[in-house]
């Protein structure tokens, strides 16, 4: 269908709900990092919307850098092996780093990224995610900031894609089954 929202059958979170939750997360982050420098690391490409909104919800200075990672092989993530497609431009040694992604599914991406960034000697590394699927987790990780835990359903919008579409939807929702088949 032509319009980005045409194949959405159920909206899980509206734009307003997302913005309200991100504002709450930002307030918590501001309190936790008071008096400290802060570098947020966005995980391309899904995290672009949450980084844009979270960063603007912070009333304080913050640096933003990006990483792009990909699983090895034929797109399967089950190996847990990740390679760096785009590394940070920033030396994070001694820095307070907050990794931000829009969803934790199996946890493989962020557990690998957490270990990778930890090895670079930052002052601290924490994780923030807008969504998390507790039922799908294969690699338990400590996540300091979570927007919502959701059921193990395929969701799109607000950075989340299906075959590179729907990232630019303002809400988060589920796709009609006919789209997959
Ligand atoms: C998605 C999502 C998370 C990751 C979560 O990214 O944006 O980064 O998968 O899955 P996991 O917990 O099972 O590792 P993806 O690799 O599909 O790339 P994208 O961000 O460019 O869409
Ligand atoms: Mg991603």
């Amino acid at each position: 269908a032509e319009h980005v929202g045409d194949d959405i059958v159920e909206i899980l979170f509206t734009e307003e709900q997302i913005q309200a939750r991100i504002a709450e997360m930002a307030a918590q982050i501001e309190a936790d990092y008071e008096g400290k420098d802060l570098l947020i690391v966005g995980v391309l490409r899904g995290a672009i919307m949450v980084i844009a909104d979270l960063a603007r919800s912070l009333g304080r200075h913050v640096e933003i850098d990006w990483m792009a990672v990909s699983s090895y092989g034929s797109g399967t993530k089950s190996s847990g092996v990740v390679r760096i497609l785009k590394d940070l431009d920033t030396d994070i040694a001694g820095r307070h780093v907050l990794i931000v992604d829009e969803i934790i599914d199996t946890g493989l991406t962020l557990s690998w990224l957490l270990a990778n960034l930890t090895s670079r000697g930052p002052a601290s590394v924490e994780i923030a995610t807008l969504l998390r699927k507790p039922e799908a987790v294969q690699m338990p990780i400590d996540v300091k900031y979570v927007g919502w835990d959701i059921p193990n359903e395929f969701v799109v919008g607000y950075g989340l894609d299906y075959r590179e579409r729907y990232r630019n939807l303002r809400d988060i929702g589920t796709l009609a089954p006919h789209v997959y088949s």
Side-chain angles (χ1 to χ4, degrees):
E2 193 73 16
H3 188 268
V4 61
D6 284 351
D7 297 319
I8 306 302
V9 288
E10 188 194 356
I11 291 177
L12 297 183
F13 303 106
T14 64
E15 181 179 11
E16 289 72 21
Q17 289 173 310
I18 294 166
Q19 295 306 325
R21 188 71 187 107
I22 284 180
E24 290 175 352
M25 293 169 76
Q28 204 187 336
I29 290 164
E30 277 193 24
D32 291 349
Y33 288 90
E34 198 176 346
K36 295 173 178 169
D37 78 308
L38 177 60
L39 172 70
I40 58 181
V41 171
V43 186
L44 293 169
R45 289 174 269 180
I48 58 169
M49 306 299 178
V50 69
I51 289 283
D53 289 331
L54 181 67
R56 287 180 294 177
S57 295
L58 292 169
R60 54 159 292 160
H61 293 297
V62 65
E63 278 183 49
I64 304 170
D65 203 348
W66 302 91
M67 278 188 83
V69 294
S70 169
S71 310
Y72 274 118
S74 54
T76 175
K77 289 184 175 177
S78 49
S79 66
V81 181
V82 172
R83 70 192 160 102
I84 295 174
L85 300 178
K86 185 232 168 282
D87 207 342
L88 296 174
D89 295 321
T90 312
D91 178 1
I92 63 168
R95 304 292 305 274
H96 292 285
V97 176
L98 180 61
I99 308 170
V100 178
D101 210 343
E102 88 291 3
I103 193 165
I104 295 177
D105 199 328
T106 64
L108 295 171
T109 302
L110 283 191
S111 64
W112 185 90
L113 207 50
L114 181 65
N116 183 281
L117 296 193
T118 299
S119 75
R120 305 183 193 193
S124 68
V125 198
E126 299 290 351
I127 292 172
T129 183
L130 185 63
L131 303 177
R132 181 174 62 181
K133 291 181 176 176
E135 294 158 26
V137 73
Q138 292 177 28
M139 199 69 78
I141 11 170
D142 279 339
V143 183
K144 192 157 187 188
Y145 308 98
V146 181
W148 293 284
D149 281 321
I150 61 167
N152 194 7
E153 287 180 324
F154 194 80
V155 290
V156 296
Y158 198 69
L160 293 154
D161 74 302
Y162 173 66
R163 295 186 174 174
E164 297 306 326
R165 290 184 150 196
Y166 307 102
R167 289 193 200 272
N168 58 321
L169 188 70
R170 290 176 181 272
D171 309 312
I172 293 171
T174 53
L175 274 178
H178 74 80
V179 178
Y180 306 103
S181 45

